[in-house]
Amino acid sequence: MRSLATQHFDLPDSVTNNFLLKDRGTPVAMLLQGRTSHYRIDEPDANEEYSRLLPSGGHLVHYPDSDGNMKEYTVTIFHQLKCLNIVREAYLNDASQPISRFTRHCMTYLRQSLLCNLNIGLENTVNAAASVSRTYNALCFDWTKVYAEAEKNYQNTRGQSTQ
Protein backbone atom coordinates (compact mmCIF):
# COMPACT_ATOMS: atom_id res chain seq x y z
CA MET A 1 0.00 0.00 0.00
CA ARG A 2 1.32 3.42 -0.90
CA SER A 3 1.75 6.08 1.73
CA LEU A 4 -0.53 9.09 1.87
CA ALA A 5 2.38 11.17 0.52
CA THR A 6 2.44 9.22 -2.74
CA GLN A 7 -1.03 7.74 -3.19
CA HIS A 8 -2.32 10.59 -5.39
CA PHE A 9 0.51 10.26 -7.88
CA ASP A 10 1.05 7.67 -10.55
CA LEU A 11 4.65 6.94 -9.62
CA PRO A 12 6.47 3.68 -10.28
CA ASP A 13 7.61 1.57 -7.32
CA SER A 14 11.25 2.53 -8.07
CA VAL A 15 10.31 6.04 -7.01
CA THR A 16 7.84 5.40 -4.18
CA ASN A 17 10.17 2.88 -2.55
CA ASN A 18 13.25 5.09 -2.61
CA PHE A 19 14.78 6.69 0.44
CA LEU A 20 13.86 10.23 -0.54
CA LEU A 21 10.15 9.56 -0.12
CA LYS A 22 9.93 7.02 2.67
CA ASP A 23 12.60 7.75 5.28
CA ARG A 24 12.98 11.23 6.69
CA GLY A 25 15.40 10.05 9.34
CA THR A 26 15.28 10.67 13.05
CA PRO A 27 13.90 14.09 14.00
CA VAL A 28 16.50 16.56 15.26
CA ALA A 29 16.11 19.61 17.48
CA MET A 30 16.75 22.96 15.83
CA LEU A 31 16.77 26.44 17.32
CA LEU A 32 14.90 28.75 14.96
CA GLN A 33 16.07 32.35 15.10
CA GLY A 34 15.06 35.53 13.32
CA ARG A 35 18.58 36.71 12.50
CA THR A 36 21.32 34.42 11.38
CA SER A 37 24.82 35.03 10.12
CA HIS A 38 24.16 33.08 6.90
CA TYR A 39 21.59 33.21 4.10
CA ARG A 40 20.88 36.89 4.37
CA ILE A 41 19.12 38.42 1.41
CA ASP A 42 21.75 40.79 0.04
CA GLU A 43 25.04 40.13 1.82
CA PRO A 44 28.18 39.69 -0.34
CA ASP A 45 28.19 35.91 0.25
CA ALA A 46 24.43 35.46 -0.33
CA ASN A 47 24.59 34.22 -3.93
CA GLU A 48 27.16 31.57 -3.08
CA GLU A 49 25.37 30.51 0.11
CA TYR A 50 22.03 30.14 -1.63
CA SER A 51 23.61 28.20 -4.51
CA ARG A 52 25.04 25.73 -1.98
CA LEU A 53 21.54 24.98 -0.66
CA LEU A 54 21.11 22.56 -3.57
CA PRO A 55 23.07 19.34 -4.04
CA SER A 56 25.50 18.93 -6.96
CA GLY A 57 22.78 17.69 -9.29
CA GLY A 58 20.46 20.59 -8.47
CA HIS A 59 16.88 19.88 -7.49
CA LEU A 60 16.48 16.85 -9.78
CA VAL A 61 16.89 13.12 -9.18
CA HIS A 62 16.56 10.32 -11.72
CA TYR A 63 14.71 7.03 -11.35
CA PRO A 64 13.50 4.48 -13.88
CA ASP A 65 9.83 4.52 -14.75
CA SER A 66 7.75 1.34 -14.97
CA ASP A 67 9.24 0.65 -18.44
CA GLY A 68 12.82 1.04 -17.17
CA ASN A 69 13.38 4.43 -18.84
CA MET A 70 15.13 7.04 -16.71
CA LYS A 71 12.86 9.90 -15.70
CA GLU A 72 13.57 13.15 -13.88
CA TYR A 73 11.82 14.08 -10.67
CA THR A 74 12.26 17.10 -8.45
CA VAL A 75 12.75 16.64 -4.71
CA THR A 76 10.27 18.88 -2.91
CA ILE A 77 12.71 20.38 -0.39
CA PHE A 78 15.15 21.23 -3.19
CA HIS A 79 12.36 22.68 -5.34
CA GLN A 80 11.31 24.82 -2.37
CA LEU A 81 14.88 26.02 -1.74
CA LYS A 82 15.39 26.81 -5.41
CA CYS A 83 12.15 28.82 -5.34
CA LEU A 84 13.22 30.62 -2.20
CA ASN A 85 16.33 31.81 -4.05
CA ILE A 86 14.30 32.85 -7.11
CA VAL A 87 12.03 34.97 -4.87
CA ARG A 88 15.11 36.39 -3.09
CA GLU A 89 16.65 37.39 -6.42
CA ALA A 90 13.37 38.96 -7.56
CA TYR A 91 13.23 40.94 -4.31
CA LEU A 92 16.67 42.37 -5.09
CA ASN A 93 15.83 43.25 -8.71
CA ASP A 94 14.73 46.62 -9.99
CA ALA A 95 11.09 47.09 -8.94
CA SER A 96 10.25 48.60 -12.34
CA GLN A 97 10.89 45.23 -14.01
CA PRO A 98 7.93 42.87 -14.47
CA ILE A 99 7.71 39.87 -12.17
CA SER A 100 8.95 36.77 -13.98
CA ARG A 101 6.82 33.68 -14.54
CA PHE A 102 9.34 31.74 -12.41
CA THR A 103 8.81 34.12 -9.50
CA ARG A 104 5.03 33.85 -9.85
CA HIS A 105 5.31 30.06 -9.97
CA CYS A 106 7.54 30.04 -6.89
CA MET A 107 5.27 32.28 -4.84
CA THR A 108 2.32 29.99 -5.61
CA TYR A 109 4.37 26.85 -5.03
CA LEU A 110 5.79 28.05 -1.69
CA ARG A 111 2.36 29.18 -0.49
CA GLN A 112 0.86 25.81 -1.38
CA SER A 113 3.80 23.96 0.22
CA LEU A 114 3.36 25.90 3.46
CA LEU A 115 -0.35 25.17 3.53
CA CYS A 116 0.20 21.49 2.80
CA ASN A 117 2.93 21.10 5.44
CA LEU A 118 1.74 23.64 7.93
CA ASN A 119 3.41 24.26 11.24
CA ILE A 120 0.67 25.00 13.76
CA GLY A 121 3.03 25.80 16.62
CA LEU A 122 2.50 28.90 18.72
CA GLU A 123 5.07 31.70 18.67
CA ASN A 124 5.54 34.26 21.44
CA THR A 125 4.62 37.79 20.52
CA VAL A 126 6.62 40.72 21.84
CA ASN A 127 4.35 43.69 21.15
CA ALA A 128 0.84 44.80 20.19
CA ALA A 129 1.69 44.49 16.47
CA ALA A 130 2.17 40.74 17.08
CA SER A 131 5.85 40.71 16.16
CA VAL A 132 7.20 37.33 17.21
CA SER A 133 10.22 36.74 19.38
CA ARG A 134 11.59 34.59 16.53
CA THR A 135 13.60 32.29 18.73
CA TYR A 136 12.19 28.91 19.63
CA ASN A 137 13.05 25.25 19.47
CA ALA A 138 11.59 23.08 16.74
CA LEU A 139 11.72 19.39 15.93
CA CYS A 140 12.85 18.98 12.32
CA PHE A 141 13.56 16.09 10.00
CA ASP A 142 17.22 15.34 9.31
CA TRP A 143 17.60 16.77 5.82
CA THR A 144 21.28 15.73 5.61
CA LYS A 145 20.12 12.20 4.74
CA VAL A 146 18.07 13.53 1.84
CA TYR A 147 21.07 15.50 0.56
CA ALA A 148 23.28 12.41 0.82
CA GLU A 149 20.79 10.31 -1.13
CA ALA A 150 20.38 13.03 -3.78
CA GLU A 151 24.18 13.21 -4.16
CA LYS A 152 24.35 9.42 -4.49
CA ASN A 153 21.57 9.50 -7.09
CA TYR A 154 23.40 12.22 -9.04
CA GLN A 155 26.69 10.30 -9.02
CA ASN A 156 24.97 7.05 -10.06
CA THR A 157 22.83 8.52 -12.86
CA ARG A 158 24.72 11.46 -14.35
CA GLY A 159 25.22 11.07 -18.04
CA GLN A 160 22.19 8.80 -18.41
CA SER A 161 19.53 10.14 -20.72
CA THR A 162 16.05 10.82 -19.44
CA GLN A 163 12.72 10.75 -21.22
Side-chain angles (χ1 to χ4, degrees):
M1 181 170 182
R2 291 197 173 173
S3 71
L4 181 61
T6 60
Q7 72 181 2
H8 299 292
F9 304 100
D10 186 22
L11 298 174
D13 287 341
S14 63
V15 174
T16 58
N17 291 330
N18 84 70
F19 176 88
L20 293 172
L21 293 177
K22 72 178 185 176
D23 184 2
R24 295 182 180 195
T26 303
V28 294
M30 182 174 174
L31 178 64
L32 301 180
Q33 301 179 67
R35 287 197 54 101
T36 65
S37 58
H38 295 283
Y39 305 105
R40 298 218 178 142
I41 292 174
D42 59 353
E43 294 293 319
D45 297 355
N47 288 339
E48 183 179 337
E49 287 182 331
Y50 275 86
S51 72
R52 287 193 317 246
L53 284 173
L54 297 179
S56 303
H59 65 103
L60 300 175
V61 293
H62 303 85
Y63 287 96
D65 63 16
S66 55
D67 296 325
N69 299 314
M70 292 303 282
K71 187 169 176 0
E72 289 182 333
Y73 299 91
T74 185
V75 179
T76 304
I77 185 175
F78 302 143
H79 189 177
Q80 292 166 338
L81 291 170
K82 181 177 180 166
C83 274
L84 181 64
N85 191 38
I86 288 171
V87 171
R88 179 190 72 87
E89 289 172 343
Y91 178 80
L92 295 173
N93 284 342
D94 181 356
S96 67
Q97 297 298 314
I99 297 171
S100 76
R101 68 183 179 96
F102 293 114
T103 303
R104 290 180 192 281
H105 156 78
C106 285
M107 288 297 294
T108 299
Y109 180 71
L110 290 172
R111 177 183 52 80
Q112 291 171 344
S113 293
L114 287 168
L115 291 172
C116 184
N117 295 293
L118 65 135
N119 177 347
I120 58 170
L122 300 175
E123 300 176 338
N124 291 325
T125 59
V126 293
N127 57 33
S131 298
V132 296
S133 65
R134 295 184 164 165
T135 301
Y136 59 92
N137 290 310
L139 197 57
C140 304
F141 291 107
D142 184 358
W143 60 85
T144 61
K145 292 183 176 191
V146 177
Y147 276 87
E149 286 298 314
E151 288 292 346
K152 187 166 79 175
N153 178 272
Y154 174 68
Q155 296 303 321
N156 291 338
T157 61
R158 73 178 164 181
Q160 296 182 24
S161 63
T162 57
Q163 304 230 341

